[in-house]
Amino acid sequence: MADRIREKHDGALAGRMDVRVWLRLLSCSTIIEKRLRRRFTEQYATTLPRFDVLAMLERHPEGVTMGALSRTLLVSNGNVTALVRQLEAAGLASSRPAAGDARSSIVALTEQGRVHFAELADAHHGWIGAMFAGMSREDQVALYGLLATLKLSIGAEVPQEPA
């Protein structure tokens, strides 16, 4: 199975282990994301960004502002607005003016949106589970811990100013 997945430099980059680890991490992440995107499109006629918005709204049943959606999902306000409008048109989300701030909107899932998200989330969990099936729980826990260490290292790095 691993033979079917190519990596940049075929995983044989001589020398720098940090670069090899980064390329392997990038390769795994890219493959997982591509598979999720394709499966959402083919099986549910939806997109990964729409799924991300639905997931965020599911975590906030009382609703969330468009600005909070944008910040949390790390996308522009324009992109969030377009995604929310698509979800509204499909009857999966609704928006209302925020109390005390007419410039801000609160977005929430509709009942139809909750049902749809539950179906998507079940499929998503199944796909992820299948992709990780070749790893034991212990290996997954170890990798999770190592990635936490990497995240701390990345956070501690001070970007160099250009000369």
Side-chain angles (χ1 to χ4, degrees):
M1 175 74 168
D3 296 347
R4 293 182 9 202
I5 298 175
R6 289 193 32 121
E7 296 183 69
K8 292 183 183 214
H9 307 289
D10 292 324
L13 185 64
R16 304 270 317 242
M17 181 53 74
D18 53 356
V19 173
R20 288 173 27 194
V21 169
W22 173 68
L23 289 173
R24 170 102 10 117
L25 183 62
L26 179 62
S27 177
C28 290
S29 178
T30 300
I31 290 163
I32 291 169
E33 184 176 340
K34 282 182 179 180
R35 287 182 180 181
L36 292 174
R37 285 180 185 281
R38 185 179 66 246
R39 290 171 185 174
F40 275 129
T41 299
E42 291 173 354
Q43 296 178 32
Y44 294 95
T46 194
T47 65
L48 188 55
R50 283 187 209 149
F51 175 78
D52 290 341
V53 171
L54 291 169
M56 175 74 171
L57 296 177
E58 175 66 20
R59 287 190 295 273
H60 298 278
E62 72 287 350
V64 64
T65 65
M66 296 282 268
L69 265 176
S70 177
R71 284 188 302 279
T72 302
L73 298 175
L74 304 175
V75 296
S76 72
N77 288 337
N79 284 344
V80 165
T81 299
L83 288 167
V84 167
R85 296 298 172 251
Q86 291 169 11
L87 294 172
E88 286 179 316
L92 304 174
S94 63
S95 61
R96 65 185 187 279
D101 185 359
R103 298 171 297 144
S104 186
S105 296
I106 305 292
V107 183
L109 286 179
T110 62
E111 186 55 37
Q112 180 184 349
R114 287 184 209 299
V115 170
H116 181 64
F117 175 74
E119 182 180 6
L120 294 178
D122 283 346
H124 181 266
H125 290 142
W127 299 331
I128 297 294
M131 286 186 264
F132 280 76
M135 289 185 75
S136 69
R137 171 133 175 91
E138 293 77 24
D139 284 347
Q140 290 180 37
V141 169
L143 180 58
Y144 187 75
L146 291 169
L147 290 172
T149 302
L150 174 60
K151 190 173 179 181
L152 289 172
S153 178
I154 293 167
E157 187 256 349
V158 178
Q160 300 288 322
E161 292 295 321

